[in-house]
Amino acid sequence: MDELEKLGGEITQLEKKARYYQKQVERLSAENLKLDSRASGLRREAEQRKQAFNILAELNQSIGTDQALEEIFQTVIEAIVATIGMDRALFLVPTDHEDKLRVSHWAGYAQVPIVAFEQTIIDLEEGFIRQRKTLLVNRQSEVDETIETIRKRLDLPYFAAVPVFGEDRLLGLLLAGRMAESLPLYPPLHANDIDTLYAIGGLITAVHSNMTVSVLKEMDRVKNDLFANISHEFRTPVTLTLGPLEGLRQERYGPITAPMEKQIKMMQRNQQRLLSLINQILDLAKLESGQMKLQAAQVPDLNDYLENLIERFSAMAEKKGIKLSAQLQANPETIDLYLDLEKFEKVCYNLLSNALKFTDSGSVTLSTDRTDKHFILTVSDTGMGIKEAELSAIFERFGQAESSRSNQYAGTGIGLALVREIVHLHGGTIEAKSTFGSGTSFTLKLPLGCEHLDKEAVVKFGSSSPQIAQPATHDPIEEETTQEALTKVASWNTSTQQELDPDKSTLLYVEDNADLREYMRDLLGGAFNLFFAIDGVDGLEKARELQPDLVISDQMMPRMKGSQMLQELRTEKRFEQTPFILLTAEGRRES
């Protein structure tokens, strides 16, 4: 009996151990299943990442900046379907509305009417694009109106979608998905698919950015070529006009009357202004294309050269009542300075012209100095000055301070850009300092010696060279001062008032350009009681005084634009029906 009990106890212990080990086996089996599942997931994730790398490598080889953007979109969606196991892929592009997109490209659809897809508009939730949201739709996803719309309109139950941007502009929505979800062939879509589409979208963004840079470079090249070609074509007829006009003034072809001489002078003045602009454009085009080469030599008589250059502006300064002076450092012959004087003259000419143009009273001074390593030239004035916020733009091409963008200070914004480029060509720097309302100074620093210059840029010639002896730039064009304009217009208006003809209509012509006022006086003076104003503020005052039958006005004028004057007049009942004609030579629309 004792033996049987002992044996029964041993059996019970063995059964307990068996049950224990059975439980351990079951637990390990469950762990193995979990590990198998995890390993399967990792293998699937690794395969997806491999597929993603493959498609990125393939796309990187197959798309380039020479393709149209539409071709790139089609290449991308076809690669998605072929490479990463998606049944269908689409690219949707923006419409006029921020959150409405139009289907533009698709792949994986066997038979889809093209017209039907091209007319398909997908409405996304408000702010979807602006907030750069993504969509991931699988069996576990909650379905909202946007998801349901995409499923029905695009016949795609499970999908991932990411927006693709080109800098700050939406290029489109990249969308790809599957028709079914069933392991192992069709695993559910998850975050890795979003990452893959993001990577593909990033590639499109990069290509678009490179395309933009390439296009801008090509546009810049074409623009420079166009400027150069057109400028050359313009310069020939302008030059051939200036010669005969000078011959007319000298009565080479017979006597001329005083009115004829007046018109000839006006034509010469404006042709000379046009030729100056053409030459500046040509110089800029040469600089940007690398065709402007420096020919710098040691300057033997710099002070004499600068004094002769300043002398050419003395008449303009005297006319405006401005003190023009030079404060030149002694013994300039000891300065080891290398200059291309033909180009350096353009620097000084532009700086002095601007200083006199923007100074109505006070002084303009050109001064020189030097350190152990640099020659320093400064042109300063007591003129209108430049606002601090605008200083950074004045050396940019076609950039001007807001206060000078009027015909009172006519200009193109090319002069200072050319100055900066020529100074840089010499290895120097230029900076501007200004106090608005008090004046401006431009200071350029040029390195001494010639070690900083290319060997090809250094030449040798004597002081008898024409380049040194005679500056090449034409004499500055003298502009009519404001006071001269007011005096002349007052005289014309007084004469018209004294000879007022009640049978003629009264016309007020508002224009700040002196030559245009002269031209309109000759053209219309006999047909109207013609009165003049020199700018918008003067025109407003004259209109209220005369109450004319017709107002013709320039748009871009100092103190007040023509459109602003019109708005002021229209607030008064007596001018509600007065005809008003606005004129402008600008090629852009003015508000």
Side-chain angles (χ1 to χ4, degrees):
M1 192 67 180
D2 291 340
E3 289 293 331
L4 288 173
E5 288 178 356
K6 184 178 178 181
L7 184 59
E10 290 177 353
I11 292 171
T12 301
Q13 288 297 322
L14 289 172
E15 288 176 344
K16 287 181 178 180
K17 287 182 178 180
R19 286 196 296 272
Y20 170 78
Y21 286 121
Q22 180 65 35
K23 287 181 180 180
Q24 293 301 313
V25 169
E26 291 174 354
R27 183 179 65 79
L28 289 173
S29 295
E31 290 292 335
N32 283 335
L33 285 174
K34 289 180 181 179
L35 289 173
D36 285 343
S37 177
R38 176 61 177 156
S40 177
L42 290 172
R43 282 194 296 270
R44 188 168 65 251
E45 183 176 337
E47 182 62 27
Q48 286 181 321
R49 290 185 180 277
K50 180 181 178 182
Q51 291 173 342
F53 284 126
N54 287 341
I55 190 174
L56 287 173
E58 178 182 326
L59 290 174
N60 196 41
Q61 292 292 324
S62 61
I63 63 178
T65 56
D66 58 336
Q67 289 179 283
L69 205 55
E70 290 75 13
E71 294 177 5
I72 293 172
F73 294 158
Q74 189 63 41
T75 301
V76 165
I77 59 172
E78 288 176 358
I80 288 173
V81 171
T83 308
I84 60 174
M86 294 293 185
D87 295 326
R88 292 175 174 177
L90 305 98
F91 203 87
L92 286 67
V93 296
T95 64
D96 293 337
H97 190 279
E98 180 183 46
D99 294 311
K100 291 180 183 290
L101 302 179
R102 174 180 60 81
V103 177
S104 65
H105 300 79
W106 57 88
Y109 291 86
Q111 294 180 343
V112 177
I114 293 178
V115 175
F117 253 8
E118 287 182 341
Q119 294 177 349
T120 299
I121 303 295
I122 301 297
D123 292 331
L124 302 174
E125 65 176 279
E126 186 175 354
F128 183 94
I129 296 299
R130 186 170 57 255
Q131 297 171 30
R132 303 199 176 204
K133 290 185 177 181
T134 62
L135 283 174
L136 181 64
V137 181
N138 52 32
R139 285 187 183 278
Q140 288 74 43
S141 301
E142 294 183 6
V143 178
D144 59 18
E145 186 177 349
T146 297
I147 293 173
E148 191 62 32
T149 299
I150 292 176
R151 279 179 162 174
K152 288 182 177 179
R153 301 291 297 278
L154 302 182
D155 190 20
L156 193 58
Y158 309 110
F159 58 87
V162 299
V164 180
F165 287 86
E167 297 178 354
D168 294 328
R169 179 171 72 90
L170 176 71
L171 298 179
L173 186 73
L174 184 59
L175 190 149
R178 301 191 180 103
M179 301 300 295
E181 285 190 353
S182 59
L183 291 171
L185 294 178
Y186 299 103
L189 297 171
H190 55 80
N192 285 338
D193 296 295
I194 291 288
D195 292 342
T196 299
L197 293 187
Y198 258 133
I200 296 170
L203 184 61
I204 296 175
T205 299
V207 172
H208 177 265
S209 179
N210 290 335
M211 289 171 63
T212 303
V213 171
S214 298
V215 169
L216 289 176
K217 285 183 177 179
E218 179 62 15
M219 287 176 62
D220 204 44
R221 185 193 66 77
V222 171
K223 178 208 67 182
N224 287 335
D225 289 348
L226 180 65
F227 277 170
N229 291 335
I230 289 180
S231 298
H232 275 297
E233 291 301 315
F234 279 173
R235 188 156 61 172
T236 299
V238 169
T239 303
L240 290 175
T241 305
L242 283 169
L245 285 173
E246 183 60 30
L248 286 172
R249 280 189 63 187
Q250 295 175 0
E251 299 188 342
R252 190 179 303 162
Y253 312 110
I256 60 172
T257 63
M260 289 170 62
E261 184 178 15
K262 183 179 178 183
Q263 294 297 321
I264 292 170
K265 284 182 178 180
M266 182 187 72
M267 287 188 284
Q268 282 184 308
R269 185 166 55 249
N270 284 281
Q271 286 290 85
Q272 191 66 67
R273 184 178 285 115
L274 178 58
L275 183 59
S276 177
L277 171 60
I278 290 169
N279 288 334
Q280 285 185 340
I281 292 174
L282 270 173
D283 286 336
L284 265 184
K286 287 179 181 177
L287 278 164
E288 292 184 353
S289 63
Q291 295 178 11
M292 181 176 280
K293 305 299 182 183
L294 205 65
Q295 288 189 307
Q298 196 168 19
V299 182
D301 298 309
L302 182 60
N303 279 4
D304 287 345
Y305 182 83
L306 291 175
E307 286 171 353
N308 289 335
L309 188 62
I310 292 170
E311 180 63 28
R312 297 166 63 191
F313 290 87
S314 58
M316 181 188 295
E318 184 177 351
K319 183 178 180 180
K320 297 187 72 173
I322 296 169
K323 180 183 178 183
L324 177 63
S325 62
Q327 298 175 0
L328 306 179
Q329 186 188 45
N331 301 321
E333 62 275 2
T334 63
I335 299 178
D336 186 22
L337 179 65
Y338 283 74
L339 294 176
D340 185 325
L341 283 181
E342 180 184 356
K343 297 175 181 61
F344 181 70
E345 180 191 337
K346 295 174 182 179
V347 172
C348 297
Y349 181 90
N350 275 288
L351 293 180
L352 287 169
S353 294
N354 280 350
L356 287 166
K357 184 191 300 183
F358 296 113
T359 303
D360 290 329
S361 62
S363 63
V364 170
T365 304
L366 184 149
S367 60
T368 60
D369 197 359
R370 64 172 166 172
T371 66
D372 291 340
K373 296 182 178 180
H374 292 92
F375 167 74
I376 302 168
L377 182 144
T378 301
V379 175
S380 57
D381 63 65
T382 59
M384 63 187 297
I386 304 168
K387 295 177 181 177
E388 185 176 356
E390 299 173 349
L391 268 176
S392 60
I394 61 174
F395 289 110
E396 300 300 324
R397 287 174 294 171
F398 310 108
Q400 290 177 281
E402 187 67 34
S403 51
S404 71
R405 290 178 190 153
S406 68
N407 285 347
Q408 181 185 10
Y409 303 110
T412 60
I414 294 177
L416 287 178
L418 183 61
V419 165
R420 181 183 63 176
E421 295 302 325
I422 292 176
V423 170
H424 287 176
L425 201 62
H426 281 82
T429 61
I430 184 168
E431 65 173 0
K433 294 182 179 179
S434 184
T435 302
F436 188 63
S438 299
T440 304
S441 67
F442 289 88
T443 300
L444 62 92
K445 296 174 67 175
L446 300 176
L448 297 177
C450 59
E451 291 77 10
H452 60 285
L453 300 173
D454 293 336
K455 291 183 179 179
E456 296 78 11
V458 180
V459 296
K460 292 183 178 181
F461 44 73
S463 59
S464 61
S465 168
Q467 185 188 30
I468 292 179
Q470 178 60 48
T473 310
H474 63 78
D475 288 337
I477 300 169
E478 295 186 19
E479 305 286 351
E480 185 180 57
T481 65
T482 302
Q483 188 54 52
E484 286 176 330
L486 286 171
T487 301
K488 183 179 290 187
V489 163
S491 173
W492 290 351
N493 290 345
T494 298
S495 178
T496 301
Q497 190 68 52
Q498 291 172 348
E499 301 172 5
L500 201 68
D501 187 343
D503 294 328
K504 294 180 180 178
S505 298
T506 297
L507 187 156
L508 174 63
Y509 181 60
V510 187
E511 172 61 63
D512 58 314
N513 184 285
D515 288 337
L516 282 173
R517 288 196 300 267
E518 292 269 8
Y519 176 72
M520 292 296 280
R521 186 167 184 254
D522 288 341
L523 185 67
L524 301 176
F528 297 90
N529 295 314
L530 184 58
F531 292 88
F532 291 89
I534 68 167
D535 59 35
V537 173
D538 189 32
L540 195 61
E541 180 183 329
K542 293 288 197 314
R544 287 168 175 163
E545 174 189 333
L546 299 167
Q547 197 168 348
D549 301 303
L550 171 65
V551 178
I552 299 178
S553 175
D554 184 23
Q555 162 64 351
M556 293 299 295
M557 295 183 293
R559 299 201 292 173
M560 181 182 288
K561 292 182 180 181
S563 55
Q564 293 172 323
M565 179 177 63
L566 171 60
Q567 290 170 3
E568 288 281 340
L569 291 174
R570 286 288 189 248
T571 62
E572 301 178 27
K573 189 173 183 61
R574 56 181 174 153
F575 292 109
E576 286 180 352
Q577 302 300 321
T578 302
F580 200 106
I581 299 174
L582 271 178
L583 305 174
T584 182
E586 289 217 313
R588 61 184 177 186
R589 184 176 177 178
E590 280 288 339
S591 58

